[in-house]
Amino acid sequence: MATASLIRRCCRAHKALPQIRHLNLQEYQSKGLMDKYGVTIQPFLTATSAEDAAEKAKVMLNERGAEEIVLKAQILAGGRGKGTFSSGLKGGVKLSRDPEEIGKLTSQMIGFNLVTKQTSAEGSPVSNVMVAKALNIVKETYLAIVMDRGFGGPVIVASPDGGVDIEEVAEKTPERVYKVPVDIFTGVTDAMATELAEKLEFSSEVVPAAAAEIKKLYELFTGVDATQVEVNPFGLTDRSEVVCFDAKINFDDNAQFRQRDIFSMEDTSETDPRELEAAKYDLNYIGMDGMSSLSLCLSPPPLSHIHTHR
């Protein structure tokens, strides 16, 4: 299961290296960066209250050409669509054509915690929502660009089976997940982008557009010093538009001195207060449960230590 191992290593690298703190952006922030690099996204606005969301929905419907609104609670964890709020509302992604309903739904999101399969039992607090133009998706694929130590540079991970848990796809059908190392000096060539678009099973008419989006995503990846740019789904609309529907961009602290504007956007509402306190002193707080602590205490000394004290 080498492919599944790569997915876990690449897409969850930040969990494997606890000694390095990583900046994660909310979806709306990631999409804002994508927009700056010309990547095709859904038009959207953000809101911080029920009244604000209702007004933003009116703008999207009356001025931005939206026929329907998709309302998304903003938290860093995935699985929002199947999550549950502490208010009792089920699902952190909702569709509606009625601004008033958008406001009512938002009132059950903002100020409450959203529990998903990727959060703690308490869930993550929601302080804002994305009010976006809903688009009809006819095809969903997966695309990610990650910095991988195993390959010594960027790797593009792609699958024609998007819109679902990519780790699940890698476990069950590893042949449907493609991994393409990128030469950091050459970048993503036209030929490479075209081949990837074909592997994602886009039709010949759409391949050029998909290839162009892949190249723009790589430009974003290198331009903002990202460690991961993940798009799931990287999809196709009923109007033959290739769109990045959901976005996640990760960074590490090594990029901070070059990307101060980006790091200033950090949302710490979901961060352990002990980590924030440690960061003030350039330290990294690593939480452990009882078993982790016990395991660390009982673990054997390194071989170098044994050899030195023989």
Side-chain angles (χ1 to χ4, degrees), residues 27 57 63-64 67 77 84 86 100 105 121-122 132 140 164-165 184 192 201 207 236 241 252 270 278 296 299 302:
E27 179 191 4
E63 300 176 23
R64 301 289 183 90
E67 296 178 3
T84 302
S86 53
E100 187 176 334
L105 289 168
E122 291 75 27
E140 296 181 316
V164 295
D165 188 341
I184 195 71
M192 184 187 298
E201 300 178 1
V207 161
L236 181 69
E241 299 171 301
D252 70 49
E270 298 177 45
L296 182 62
S299 61

Side-chain angles (χ1 to χ4, degrees), residues 1-12 146 148 150-151 155-157 170 177-180:
M1 292 294 182
T3 302
S5 176
L6 173 71
I7 294 292
R8 286 192 293 270
R9 188 170 73 246
C10 292
C11 297
R12 293 189 174 177
V146 296
D148 182 64
F151 286 95
V155 175
I156 296 179
V157 182
V177 180
Y178 304 98
K179 46 190 184 295
V180 181

Side-chain angles (χ1 to χ4, degrees), residues 220-268:
L220 165 69
F221 177 82
T222 56
V224 301
D225 292 307
T227 56
Q228 171 180 299
V229 173
E230 182 181 38
V231 182
N232 189 22
F234 179 60
L236 181 69
T237 72
D238 57 355
R239 297 183 180 181
S240 298
E241 299 171 301
V242 179
V243 178
C244 296
F245 283 96
D246 204 350
K248 184 180 178 75
I249 304 178
N250 293 351
F251 311 79
D252 70 49
D253 282 354
N254 293 325
Q256 186 169 5
F257 75 99
R258 283 194 301 264
Q259 307 291 347
R260 296 193 183 280
D261 289 344
I262 293 175
F263 275 75
S264 69
M265 296 190 292
E266 182 174 16
D267 183 345
T268 59

Side-chain angles (χ1 to χ4, degrees), residues 93-215:
V93 180
K94 298 290 186 180
L95 289 169
S96 177
R97 299 173 186 272
D98 181 5
E100 187 176 334
E101 184 182 11
I102 291 294
K104 289 179 180 178
L105 289 168
T106 301
S107 70
Q108 299 175 73
M109 294 181 177
I110 291 180
F112 296 95
N113 284 10
L114 176 57
V115 180
T116 78
K117 63 181 181 179
Q118 292 186 16
T119 68
S120 65
E122 291 75 27
S124 296
V126 177
S127 58
N128 52 58
V129 295
M130 176 187 287
V131 182
K133 177 180 179 179
L135 300 174
N136 293 322
I137 307 175
V138 297
K139 178 178 176 58
E140 296 181 316
T141 74
Y142 174 90
L143 185 77
I145 308 171
V146 296
M147 192 64 75
D148 182 64
R149 289 184 177 181
F151 286 95
V155 175
I156 296 179
V157 182
S159 174
D161 303 324
V164 295
D165 188 341
I166 189 61
E167 290 188 40
E168 212 173 284
V169 176
E171 290 285 355
K172 295 180 179 179
T173 54
E175 71 280 0
R176 299 278 290 172
V177 180
Y178 304 98
K179 46 190 184 295
V180 181
V182 181
D183 186 318
I184 195 71
F185 298 105
T186 307
V188 176
T189 64
D190 291 341
M192 184 187 298
T194 298
E195 184 179 356
L196 277 166
E198 290 171 345
K199 286 182 175 179
L200 291 176
E201 300 178 1
F202 284 105
S203 66
S204 58
E205 295 82 8
V206 181
V207 161
E213 292 297 324
I214 292 171
K215 293 193 69 173

